[in-house]
Amino acid sequence: MPIDIKSLTRDELAAHLQKWGQPAYRTDQVLDWLYRRRAASWDAMSNLPKALREKLRGHFTLQTLELARKQGSSDTTQKFLWKLADGALIESVLIPANPALYGEASDRHTLCISTQVGCAYGCKFCASGLDGWKRNLRPEEIVEQVIAVERWSSADENEKRRKGAEENFPLPSVPLSPPRAEPPGGSERLINNIVVMGMGEPLANYENLLAALRLLNAPWGGGIGARKITVSTSGLAPQIRKLADEPEQFRLAISLHGATDEVRATIMPVNKKYPLKELTAALDYYLSKHGRMITFEYILIAGVNDRLDQIRPLAALARRLHAKVNLIPYNKVEGLPWARPEEKECEAFLKALENEDVTATLRREKGHDIDAACGQLRLKTERELAAAV
Ligand code: SAH
Ligand code: SF4
């Protein structure tokens, strides 16, 4: 299988170009096209000699993601459903830093990215694992989610500007400004925060994940700070230790969802393989290496893990591991029996945790039909496609 150019490090690309007798500055020119100008084809790379473009085309693929479906609008959470080269579907979710609903719209965004097609871990409440695991994403498929979302957002912005111009000057002869090739704010990215919380278990695709995060982090690549990249895991203890040994300061979030083995194992089969004792020992190791605060994600599911008897053990774990707790009311998944607790019960759970001296937040956004966790748009689309045949 040919190598995709967006899986290469700067040194690897430079070595190829040097071998082909190209001047040294070509490396930065190519990287500029890939990561800053988000070129979707070789032909777009207009300042490269035609012969070099042909050479690149002959050696590498330049994969882009095909948009299969999009939900939401530019000032709210937007979901992108992508079709990969083999027809598989994955999702990315773009979240504005300050949704217009709650204040001023921001030009800085968080992107939630996927790392696998499906998921093998089968958490009972999750849409991503319902049909099992299909395959790992390659580094370029992970990286390209960021680039493709920015490409689409800037196309949307151009469309808005075009419409605005038409409304103000409804004459066909009005010259329109050319499409903006660069991200808003010059060379800065639209996306400055990444959460690896989309479809799949990132630490089960460890090598490709790390390669992709390094490309997104590199100053010549995505340019996104390691501390602005959070990896979420259902708790693969050996890989947490491995991540602790990496030099980068990526942030870590743990999908806890239960503070005792008894409760956690009822909804997360992974807890049988890595029970809390083993998970927390790996987290101790991670903390000894990084000393950074970790986050516990705790979805509140009615009658399952929202009883106040979880408070004490949860608070004890959070205090011991210096973790912040993110409480997330469950998003209903069609066909699954789980439900979110009443609002006042979520508030009571938060209050009880705070009384135990734990730093905790409760996600209170409305409109959870669009905020819904990753995996759901794919599930819906696949079900619709299956019903159509
Ligand atoms: N596999 C990784 C990352 C992807 S899941 C992990 O499990 O951490 C990202 C987060 O979304 C996890 O905390 C997961 O438990 C949560 N999640 C999954 N389905 C959800 C739902 N229906 N409502 C709310 N959160 C959900
Ligand atoms: Fe996989 Fe995470 Fe969903 Fe569990 S919560 S099935 S690990 S994606």
Side-chain angles (χ1 to χ4, degrees), residues 119 121-123 125-126 128-129 198-201 234 268:
C119 183
Y121 286 82
C123 302
F125 48 81
C126 178
S128 294
M199 196 189 305
E201 168 48 54
S234 59
M268 299 183 73

Side-chain angles (χ1 to χ4, degrees), residues 116-121 128-129 131-136 200-201 204-205:
Q116 298 184 312
V117 182
C119 183
Y121 286 82
S128 294
D131 292 332
W133 174 87
K134 297 233 165 68
R135 71 170 172 89
N136 283 335
E201 168 48 54
N205 183 13

